[in-house]
Amino acid sequence: MKDILLGANNIRPDFLLIGVTKGGTTTLHNYLQQHPEICMAEPKEPGFLSTEYHQCMNIVSTQIEYNARFSKTSSSKILGDASPFYLHSPSAPLEAENINPEMQFVVVLRQPIERAYSHHNHLVNSGHLPNIPFEEYCNMVIAECSD
């Protein structure tokens, strides 16, 4: 079994699960969590390796908080951190290399139009966006980008 601790008590994940919003990272996280030899950070998306996001809600900013996200058992041989926004994080690759030079990355992508439509529906259903048709929303976003 590979040493999964760095220093005295610091968690060192073996892989990062990263990807796009509404791409399927939550589903993959849940499947991986069911494997007896895999321990995934819980709750999902600690974000510890994205130092630029440490001020955001629910983002872990200390090593102690990060360690607490892993409920390692004696059968756990592989540790994983599912934080999709690492895909966009300038600091995450360097931080990942610092804690584990052999870090593996699992990247989840999705067909862009289907992903955008799913994200639009998610924003409408969660009350973060008025209930406007997808095409109107796209035109609004395009207009904002043109300014």
Side-chain angles (χ1 to χ4, degrees):
M1 178 156 98
K2 191 167 34 166
D3 174 27
I4 58 174
L5 296 176
L6 187 63
N9 295 305
N10 293 337
I11 293 291
R12 183 181 92 169
D14 297 288
F15 72 93
L16 300 179
L17 173 57
I18 64 176
V20 295
T21 303
K22 306 309 291 176
T25 55
T26 299
T27 299
L28 184 53
H29 170 271
N30 292 339
Y31 287 141
L32 291 169
Q33 184 68 17
Q34 293 175 27
H35 193 286
E37 295 181 353
I38 297 176
C39 175
M40 299 295 293
E42 288 288 341
K44 183 178 164 267
E45 303 182 19
F48 179 63
L49 304 180
S50 291
T51 56
E52 64 273 4
Y53 296 126
H54 282 182
Q55 301 305 314
C56 297
M57 202 168 99
N58 294 324
I59 300 300
V60 171
S61 61
T62 70
Q63 185 69 53
I64 292 170
E65 292 174 305
Y66 191 56
N67 292 352
R69 292 285 182 108
F70 294 88
S71 299
K72 185 183 165 307
T73 66
S74 60
S75 63
S76 300
K77 295 182 180 175
I78 300 171
L79 299 181
D81 173 347
S83 295
F85 46 85
Y86 288 161
L87 181 67
H88 307 287
S89 168
S91 65
L94 181 59
E95 294 295 326
E97 183 178 28
N98 286 339
I99 66 167
N100 183 355
E102 297 177 11
M103 183 78 71
Q104 300 292 306
F105 296 85
V106 178
V107 182
V108 179
L109 303 173
R110 184 174 178 183
Q111 197 280 344
I113 300 300
E114 291 177 10
R115 191 219 60 82
Y117 185 73
S118 178
H119 191 216
H120 166 264
N121 287 339
H122 174 79
L123 292 173
V124 169
N125 292 334
S126 63
H128 291 98
L129 186 70
N131 190 3
I132 60 174
F134 179 63
E135 184 176 352
E136 186 179 330
Y137 171 71
C138 290
N139 290 333
M140 187 175 73
V141 170
I142 291 168
E144 287 177 10
C145 292
S146 300
D147 293 343

